[in-house]
Amino acid sequence: MRKIVFKGDGFALAELAAGDLEYLGEHGDGAYDVDRDGREIPIECPIYRLAVTTEDGTELLGHVMWHPVTYGPSYGCLAWNFGRELLPRARGKGIGTAVLKAFVRHLFDTTDVDRIECSTDETNVRAQKSLEKAGFTREGVLRGAQLRKGKRHDLISYSILRTDLKKK
């Protein structure tokens, strides 16, 4: 059984169980998977993950992952960069935006970092709408930021600040 860290309406965020990443890889559609060329990235940073499940934590619907990024030499310049993936069968059911809102609340409640950011493919209009509904601000285009199927793809950058939540 997965340990649930946040319950939402029709979903939960839970700790990953053994085999979850393999299951996600086998059942996902890989639509936005990046090319891997075998070279090591010259930096190491922790990657954190939570499963997206049904409310009771039994059925795996997807996952969110996040890691720290820094914009300067002090802790105050730290941000969380995240990605999320819902399995094809879990999409279009209205939980994507709710998962984003819950994930943002979870990170702001459990850490003292003030910025959460992500990016999505310029063609992924559904994700862009979901991010905007969840309160994220569109910041701009990251030109040629990802390599997929041998071709460079532009990404749209989004962020939400702790102070953005206080404005609502």
Side-chain angles (χ1 to χ4, degrees):
M1 188 61 134
R2 295 176 190 90
K3 178 182 175 191
I4 294 174
V5 298
F6 186 95
K7 265 194 180 182
D9 187 21
F11 72 94
L13 297 177
E15 293 178 359
L16 288 166
D20 280 354
L21 289 178
E22 292 80 8
Y23 181 89
L24 290 166
E26 292 168 8
H27 293 86
D29 61 7
Y32 295 99
D33 286 354
V34 298
D35 292 355
R36 303 201 186 264
D37 61 13
R39 293 180 290 174
E40 291 292 322
I41 296 177
I43 56 171
E44 272 190 57
C45 68
I47 298 174
Y48 305 97
R49 300 175 193 272
L50 286 174
V52 178
T53 68
T54 51
E55 270 185 89
D56 61 4
T58 58
E59 185 183 350
L60 192 58
L61 304 175
H63 68 130
V64 291
M65 67 225 90
W66 67 101
H67 65 275
V69 293
T70 183
Y71 293 100
S74 70
Y75 189 88
C77 299
L78 190 69
W80 292 119
N81 183 286
F82 80 93
R84 70 169 170 159
E85 179 181 19
L86 292 178
L87 293 174
R89 71 174 187 276
R91 296 178 197 150
K93 300 183 188 303
I95 67 165
T97 301
V99 165
L100 283 174
K101 289 178 179 181
F103 177 66
V104 164
R105 278 195 312 272
H106 174 71
L107 282 184
F108 282 148
D109 287 349
T110 60
T111 73
D112 59 355
V113 173
D114 292 316
R115 176 184 166 87
I116 300 171
E117 64 182 38
C118 71
S119 55
T120 188
D121 191 273
E122 67 179 342
T123 64
N124 194 346
V125 176
R126 275 180 122 172
Q128 293 169 37
K129 287 181 180 179
S130 180
L131 285 159
E132 290 167 9
K133 282 184 195 174
F136 282 77
T137 299
R138 181 181 174 132
E139 294 186 321
V141 177
L142 303 169
R143 298 180 321 124
Q146 274 191 349
L147 182 65
R148 287 196 316 279
K149 298 180 182 161
K151 184 179 174 195
R152 289 269 162 210
H153 291 260
D154 291 349
L155 298 176
I156 308 298
S157 174
Y158 286 87
S159 73
I160 191 166
L161 306 177
R162 188 179 297 273
T163 53
D164 293 339
L165 298 182
K166 294 176 181 172
K167 293 176 186 175
K168 297 176 181 187

